[in-house]
Each structure stands twice: as C-alpha cells, then as structure tokens.
Amino acid sequence: MSTLLQIDGLRTVFDTSEGEAVAVDGLELSIAQGETVGIVGESGCGKSVTALSVMRLIQSPPGRIAAGRILFEGRDLLALNEKQMRSVRGNEIAMVFQEPMTSLNPVFPVGAQVGEALRIHRGLGRAEAEREAVRMLKLVEIPEAAARARDYPHQLSGGMRQRVMIAMALSCEPKLLIADEPTTALDVTIQAQVLDLLGALKERIGMAVMLITHDLGVVAEQAERVIVMYAGRVVEEGPVDRVLASPVHPYTRGLLASQPALGQEHGELKTIPGMVPRLTELPAGCRFRDRCDRAEPRCSSTDPALTDCGPAHRAACIVTTEEES
Amino acid sequence: MKTLRTAFHNRLTVAGGVVVAILIVVAVAAPMLAPYDYAELDAARVLEAPSPAHILGTDGLGRDVLSRMIYGARVSLLVGFVSAGLASVIGVALGAVAGYFGGRVDTLIMRLVDVMLCFPTFFLILAVIAYLDSSIWNIMVVIGVTSWMGVCRLVRAEFLALKKRDFMVAAEGLGVRPLWIILRHGLPNAMAPVFVAFILGVAGAILTESSLSFLGIGVQPPDPSWGNMLTEGKATIEVAWWLSVFPGCAILLTVLGYNLLGEGLRDVLDPRLRNR
Amino acid sequence: MTSYLVRRVFGLIPLLIGITFVSFFVIQLAPGSPVDVATDLNPKASAEVRERLQKTFGLDQPLHVQYGQWLGRISRGDFGRSFAPHNRQVAEMIREALPITLLLNVMSLCLIMGIGIPIGVLSATRQYSVPDRITTVFVFIGFAMPGFWFALLCMLLFGVELGWLPISGLQSLDYDMLTLPQKILDRARHLILPVGIAGLTGLAGISRYMRSSMLEVVRQDYVTTARAKGLDERTVIYNHALRNALLPVITILGLSLPALIGGSVIFETIFAIPGMGRLFYDAVLSRDYPLVMGVLVISAVLTLLGNLLADVSYALADPRLRRR
C-alpha cells in the first residue's frame, strides 16, 4: 500500500488575546491508500484542528498554519494556491462534520446540496447533477431517494441528515475521507447504522478514511490503525489491536483503564487526574507529565519523540518505551 | 487583536460620554458661557457672516447665533431627558406587568404595543399636537407617550426570564406581594438594558424635537431651539449658509455623543448580563 | 402556505380595530369641537343653532355610539370633508396625494436596499478592515444626522452653490412645454434630491443589520461545509451565506416602513412635493381635523399592509416556513 497522506511537523496556532495557542505542535501522521486510521483524544487535543489543517479550512485570522508539510499523493497541500486547493476539496479529499443539524444549509434542498460538488468538480449540468444526487442518496440507503432529494434539511431526521452529509462527501469519489466525529451527535442505534454504511462504502470506493473520534469503541470496530493525540501531539500510534490490547503510553493506558468494562458492577471509575494544559501555557518537556503516574524527573527536560515499541507501534514516552525494549 | 478592538470601542464610548458631559455643562451654565443674550437684537448687524464679534454669525433679527445655540442646548437637554424618562417609566411599568403576570394581561399589553407600532411615530406626534397647542411640555409628554414600546418589550423579555429564576419563585412562595416582588427583586436585575435604552432614547427625543421645531410645531421662536434655528436657515438658505450649518452640527454632535455612549454601555453591560 | 396567509390576515383585524380605537381617542383630545369650528366665526349663532349642529355631527350621542358611527363611515371610505374653504372629500384628497408618497418611498426603499445591503455584506466579509471601519463611522453619523438637516445641506450644496439640481417641486415651471424625454429628465432631476436623501438617511440601519446578520451566518457550520466542498469564496458568500442572512433583513425592511412614511412629512415639506406627508403637515397647521384623522388612519393601515407584505415575503423565502 502506498502512502496517500503524509503530514510532517505540522504546527497550527491561534492568536488569542492571551497569547499564541498552539493547537497542533509538530504532528507526524501518515495514511496509506484505502486505510482507515482512527484519531483519538479528548476534546481540545487538536484532532479537529488537524483535520481542518489538512483541508486548509483554518479560519485565518485568528488561526494559521505556522509550519510543516502536508503531502497528499506527493504534493504539498500547503504550497498550493487557493484555486488549486479548491479543486482538491470535496473532490480528492472530502470531509464529514459532526453536527448534521447545522452542517446543511437550511434554505437549499438536500439534493441540490449533494449535487453541488459534482457540478463544480465534474462540470455536470443541473439535471444531471440532480440525477447523480438521487443515486448517491440511494447509495447511503435513504428510502424514497427521489422524493427526499427535494426535501429541505429541516424535514429530515438526524440520522438521515448525516447520511446526506456522507452522500455529499462521497459524490466525487474522494481518495480520502475525513470524518470528524461523524456519529457523536447521533443516537446509539443510528450510530451503528451509519458506521456500517461508512465501512461498506469505503470498501466500494476504495478510499482511505481519517476517522476522528473520542470513542474508543468506534475506533476498535472501524479502524486498522489508531493514533492517540494529546495536547497537540501524537503520543502513540500503531495497529488498532495492538494499541488497544497493550497500550504503551501512560495516557493511552489511562484512557483504556477509565473505560468501564461490561459487567463491571461496582468500584470507582478510574480517571486520569489533572487537566489538559492550557494551549497558551504549554510546559517544557513531556506535556503529560503532570498527570502521569510514571513520570520521572527527566520527563520535564526532555521532549519525548515517537519511539518504536513494537511492530509498526510507536509511543512518545521515555519511560515506558524503555520498558518495552 | 481583540484588545485593540476593545480599546477602540472604549475610546469611542468615552468620547461619547465626554460630549454628553460637555453638553450638560453648557446647558446648565448657559448664561455664563453665552457671549450675548439669546434675545438681544442688533438691527445693524442682521444676517452677518461669522466674524470676530459674532463667531458663528447672526440671524435675521441680528441675534448672535452662538449664544442662541448655547441656550438651545437647554431645550434639547430638557426635552431629551424628560421625554426619554417618561418613555422609560411607561415602558418599564407596562413591560414589568406584562412579563411578570403573563396571560391575558400580557396579550393585551403586547397588542397595544403592536397597535402603537403601526402608526408612524412622527405622524402620531403631529396628529396629537394638532389637537393640543405646541408648548414644550406637551411636546415632551407626546414624545414620551409615543416611544415607550421598545423599552416595554425589553423589560418584558427580562421579566419573562427572571420569573423562572429561583429567587423569584422563592419570594412568591413566601407570599410576598407581586408589586413588591416586581419593584424590589425584579427591577434591579432588569435595569441595565433600560438604562441603555434611556440614553439612546434621549438621542432619539432630541432628534424628534429638532424635527418638530424645524417644522414649526415644536419650540416656538423667539425661544431658541436648534430645530427652529434651522427653519430660518432654510428660509435664508440662499444668503446665510451659516444659519443652516451650525445648529445642525450641534444636533449631530449631541446625538452622536449619546449614541456612542449608549452603544458602548450596551456592549459593556450585555455580556455580563448573559453570564448571570 | 395559504393557511399561514389566512391566519396572518385574520390576525390583522384586531390590529385594525386597535388603530381605530387609538385614532378615535386622539380625536377626543380636541379642546373644542367641530361645532365650535363651525360657529366660532359666526357670533350670531344661537343656542338653538348649536344644538342642531350638535345633532348633525352626532355629538349628542354617547361616546361608544359616536365611535361606532365613525367606524361605519370610515369603513365605507367616508372620512368626512376637509375644514378648508374648498371643503373637499378627505378621501379624495388623500387619493390624490398618496401615489406620489408611495412612489417616493418605494424608490427610497430600492435605494436603501440597493446600497445598504451590499455595504453590509462587504463590511461583514472584510470585518475590521479599513473600508469596514469607514463604513461604521458613516453609519454612526447616519444614525445621528437629522434627516432634514442633511436635506438642507444638500440643498445648499447642490441647489444653491453648485446649481446642479432643483430644490423644490416635482417639475419645473415650463414642464408642459417640454418634449417627452425632456419631461422624464425633468422629473428625474427633481426626484434625485428627495429620494436620494431619504434613502441615504435610511441606509444606516439596514447596512448595520445586514452586517450583523451576515457575520452570524458566516460563522455557521453549513458555511464551513460549503467551503469543504471546494466552492470558491464568492459562491460561498453570495450564494450560501447571503440567502440565509437576508431573511431577517426582510423583516427589518418591513418594520422600517413606519419610519419611512413618517419621514415623508419632513422631506415632502422641505422639497415642496405634493404628497401625503405635506398634506398632513398643512392639515396639522390649519387644524383641519378630518384630514388629520384621515391621513393618520390611512398611514397606519399602510404600515400594516407593509408588514403583511414583509411577512409574506419572509414566508416565501424561508423554506422552513413554507410547509406545515
């Protein structure tokens, strides 16, 4: 499998009244063709900002991509001009957002919105685009697709709207789909349906998926590889089975330990003490050390880099990776 | 960036406040500041362009424009405060009652607001003045009685929200009389937007009064009002440009000052309100 | 959609009744009575004559009966006769003057929308830039500027100093002797100042509202979605964002109708245009009560109709209201 997306040293910052907030700091990430990579981490760790950075949708001001390269099929997206970037968006890389309620334009029928990308990127006329849109809606298993295409977003349920979003993103058969918490706003039963749909479509089109979520269960089911982020950095990455079964980084261990097991009846839920550091006041050295139960004095002076700790498995912790080897 | 914006805003608000303060001083100290008496005639120097003796020129009866403008500030201030004050009182009273009691009382009051808003305010004021004579007190009352609707809606909205809050429910539970609850518990919390509306109301009242005086229906000559000075300005537009320019500048600066102050205060008070 | 319309129209009825109430109340404020007006100038009018006149005017009836009679008359379009020497039907006088006022106001509205909306959009898309700041300054001045003073200044500049534009009336003295194209040009020249000034003074509010509406819409998720599809910024702003941002502005336009109509008093008087506003002003000065009442009621009804129009337009434009 060849590399589709390669992110090197991405640094995205936001200028706030309290100083510069570094949302993504020196991120390294790669996704191969057809691969599904899950990105997990708690709110504010930089997952969404990473996604928006790849799409170059960071609102500037106050944000900006300060450094790094984002190589997509060998081309550095950050070096493209706006016109070239626009032909990538919605066409080669597409994105599905978290809130289906507010992510669709309330004054246009859904069919028109699904077909819009086709009209720009494939030059289809209005009637043709409408037909294609109906076909896409059928693909995402929306019943009575032709009638639904003329409906407005407010007439559809949350699950249906998310399917519409997926149809919209997939309309030009992108090579990479970025799904930012696609099921977080949905009911659990609908979640499962939408995830299954995503899996099936991914197979059909052969596209890679960057699946962003805070739900480890979703990652376990859908992803082949997982990347764990904390405070703007990757702290662990590897094959999903390995990372979830034998996590190396103390943060990942903490995340997994805090998940209540099925059948667990009493006892306190384990938590990770402390809070995520403020992005404007990031500490030197390892950013997790204040909350880490394995922290040593050298953790505050050295910036841990991602080190091998198994086949295709890396973690950014000096202490635990030493143990593994 | 954000601090830059706030600084700019604050400076404008302060500028507005300074203008307002200056105006109040000018109005109060008029006799001491005006170089001439506002009714002092000088037949020899009728319609004279601005000169060292009369910095802003003279009008058709030889009166000093600057002095008349200074005394005119009194009229503007008086009308502004009294009209806006009256409108605020009516608006607060009706709004509190509507918001607190709800139900049929609320519907009735809101219908009244809707009906009042159907009339172009200026038309209504003129119509009422047609039936009464145009003394300055009548003007103030009429402006007050026709501009309470905005405040009413504001206060009603505040009370609708306040009603659900614990301390209000607790007071009711203790059997406190409604009037007491409204006055003692409700109003203090609702006052911020009312204060802003009052300041903006003063600006509006000054504009309305000057328009009325300009049309000859407000303050009557020889009493000086910026509006009626402009009436003469229009009549002599081809020979005395200063009569059309300076009184208008006074109106513009005054209203601008009040608007800036009001808007600035609204920005300061609003976010605090939402965090409560 | 039709049910919404029907409900709206029915909702107007209590407002109409309310308008008549308030107007009738205003009539009662008159210090004298029509009888006095009729008999004041005639010292020989005896008590008998006065009584007869009272009966004719229906003033001997209790108040609510008077109201009923008045209501009946005006619903038939009978607003009485003017007190002026010519004694013409009030309804007729209004019918003559109204089209002119409507024309002026419609043209001003077009100007306000045509300039105010683009300014608001541009201000929002280039927030805090130099053009935005300058526009904000102008807007603030616009709010504080007395309309009649602005008119005066323009008259001074364009009429007196530069002599480019005429400053009164709707047509020149030699209008009838002009050819058709000349007539059109003449009319247009006379309209430029009144329409332009009325429009410019109303600009401030709309552009500011448009700006804040636009700013809110641009922050919405669906705008990010549109960008993520690869749409160019122009399509995103003018197609996706603007359609949504315009919706509340429609309502505001409707609500600004009373202000426009009210403003016509000043502008028509200043520019000597024979519209309803000037008619009203003259009536007020001469205490011509039937005419005053007639115009008051009609102007309120016009406002009501304008609001209805705005509501209907909004319902047509927002798909969320169109069905069910």
Side-chain angles (χ1 to χ4, degrees), chain B:
Chain B
M1 277 308 286
K2 192 175 164 194
T3 32
L4 266 177
R5 257 193 293 140
T6 339
F8 184 60
H9 263 146
N10 282 342
R11 267 196 300 164
L12 281 182
T13 314
V14 166
V18 165
V19 168
V20 168
I22 291 181
L23 244 80
I24 297 181
V25 166
V26 166
V28 166
M32 292 186 281
L33 290 169
Y36 301 82
D37 182 72
Y38 69 83
E40 191 178 311
L41 305 176
D42 188 352
R45 311 179 84 147
V46 163
L47 284 183
E48 215 182 64
S51 63
H54 295 274
I55 309 179
L56 296 182
T58 64
D59 69 0
L61 291 176
R63 296 176 293 201
D64 178 44
V65 170
L66 178 62
S67 308
R68 283 180 69 78
M69 272 175 61
I70 291 179
Y71 277 95
R74 286 191 157 181
V75 169
S76 297
L77 223 61
L78 185 65
V79 174
F81 273 75
V82 173
S83 310
L86 185 59
S88 299
V89 167
I90 299 179
V92 166
L94 287 178
V97 166
Y100 184 75
F101 290 109
R104 306 230 325 239
V105 171
D106 181 21
T107 320
L108 192 66
I109 295 183
M110 281 299 109
R111 285 284 149 266
L112 181 62
V113 168
D114 288 335
V115 168
M116 290 294 288
L117 286 174
C118 277
F119 292 93
T121 318
F122 213 61
F123 271 41
L124 196 57
I125 295 179
L126 281 178
V128 175
I129 299 289
Y131 288 97
L132 313 167
D133 60 64
S134 51
S135 77
I136 195 173
W137 297 102
N138 283 345
I139 306 264
M140 291 194 278
V141 168
V142 173
I143 296 182
V145 164
T146 49
S147 34
W148 54 267
M149 291 81 81
V151 180
C152 180
R153 278 194 173 157
L154 267 176
V155 174
R156 172 179 179 268
E158 284 286 325
F159 266 83
L160 282 176
L162 278 173
K163 258 198 87 170
K164 303 189 187 126
R165 295 189 45 188
D166 290 341
F167 69 89
M168 292 288 263
V169 177
E172 279 171 35
L174 286 173
V176 183
R177 279 166 38 235
L179 185 62
W180 187 252
I181 296 186
I182 293 180
L183 286 177
R184 186 81 174 69
H185 295 280
L187 279 186
N189 288 298
M191 267 341 219
V194 172
F195 188 57
V196 170
F198 171 73
I199 295 187
L200 295 174
V202 172
I206 294 181
L207 270 179
T208 308
E209 177 272 321
S210 59
S211 305
L212 288 173
S213 303
F214 174 71
L215 290 175
I217 301 185
V219 176
Q220 302 291 331
D223 293 330
S225 149
W226 296 334
N228 69 23
M229 288 173 78
L230 285 170
T231 319
E232 203 189 337
K234 175 168 186 289
T236 56
I237 196 170
E238 286 166 19
V239 295
W241 61 266
W242 54 94
L243 281 177
S244 296
V245 171
F246 296 124
C249 289
I251 303 176
L252 177 63
L253 282 172
T254 309
V255 174
L256 195 58
Y258 276 98
N259 275 342
L260 284 174
L261 185 62
E263 293 283 340
L265 283 178
R266 170 191 284 163
D267 286 340
V268 165
L269 294 171
D270 210 10
R272 255 202 290 148
L273 279 178
R274 288 212 205 106
N275 288 339
R276 265 198 278 120

Side-chain angles (χ1 to χ4, degrees), chain C residues 131-146:
Chain C
D132 181 32
R133 287 224 184 278
I134 295 183
T135 335
T136 313
V137 168
F138 271 116
V139 162
F140 260 102
I141 295 186
F143 271 132
M145 173 97 83

Side-chain angles (χ1 to χ4, degrees), chain A residues 1-247:
Chain A
M1 288 198 292
S2 54
T3 311
L4 182 66
L5 180 75
Q6 173 81 39
I7 303 181
D8 285 331
L10 177 67
R11 186 181 156 90
T12 307
V13 302
F14 289 86
D15 295 312
T16 69
S17 53
E18 286 131 24
E20 204 181 67
V22 186
V24 176
D25 194 2
L27 183 83
E28 252 191 61
L29 186 153
S30 70
I31 301 182
Q33 270 183 357
E35 188 182 29
T36 302
V37 174
I39 303 189
V40 294
E42 51 195 301
S43 308
C45 71
K47 350 187 261 291
S48 292
V49 176
T50 306
L52 290 174
S53 300
V54 171
M55 294 284 277
R56 277 181 53 187
L57 283 175
I58 301 283
Q59 280 276 44
S60 161
R64 62 196 155 87
I65 300 180
R69 291 188 314 167
I70 301 180
L71 297 170
F72 181 72
E73 290 189 319
R75 287 193 316 180
D76 184 4
L77 294 180
L78 296 178
L80 297 180
N81 65 29
E82 185 59 24
K83 190 159 178 229
Q84 293 165 320
M85 191 65 213
R86 266 187 268 129
S87 72
V88 172
R89 285 189 205 125
N91 192 8
E92 302 184 56
I93 309 180
M95 194 158 168
V96 175
F97 296 90
Q98 179 175 344
E99 285 287 347
M101 304 286 156
T102 52
S103 295
L104 290 172
N105 197 323
V107 299
F108 293 131
V110 296
Q113 295 191 50
V114 170
E116 200 171 10
L118 284 166
R119 293 188 66 186
I120 326 165
H121 296 299
R122 301 276 185 271
L124 293 184
R126 177 129 36 121
E128 254 191 290
E130 171 99 20
R131 278 197 298 269
E132 269 301 298
V134 173
R135 194 179 69 84
M136 289 304 302
L137 290 177
K138 285 200 185 113
L139 200 67
V140 295
E141 295 167 18
I142 289 185
E144 291 177 39
R148 293 284 82 75
R150 272 174 271 126
D151 279 348
Y152 289 89
H154 69 277
Q155 294 170 279
L156 303 174
S157 70
M160 297 264 257
R161 280 183 239 189
Q162 197 59 309
R163 289 172 195 263
V164 169
M165 288 282 293
I166 294 174
M168 201 160 67
L170 263 41
S171 58
C172 294
E173 301 200 347
K175 304 197 177 104
L176 172 65
L177 175 71
I178 303 179
D180 189 355
E181 312 255 17
T183 54
T184 311
L186 303 172
D187 289 334
V188 175
T189 42
I190 311 286
Q191 268 188 31
Q193 289 176 12
V194 172
L195 285 173
D196 284 340
L197 179 67
L198 263 179
L201 290 173
K202 178 192 76 170
E203 291 286 326
R204 247 177 99 135
I205 304 184
M207 64 183 175
V209 177
M210 182 195 283
L211 182 60
I212 297 175
T213 176
H214 60 263
D215 188 339
L216 290 169
V218 168
V219 165
E221 263 198 50
Q222 299 287 327
E224 287 138 35
R225 270 176 52 226
V226 65
I227 293 176
V228 182
M229 280 185 74
Y230 183 79
R233 290 195 170 151
V234 175
V235 296
E236 185 159 0
E237 60 167 358
V240 111
D241 299 325
R242 254 201 76 94
V243 173
L244 292 184
S246 14

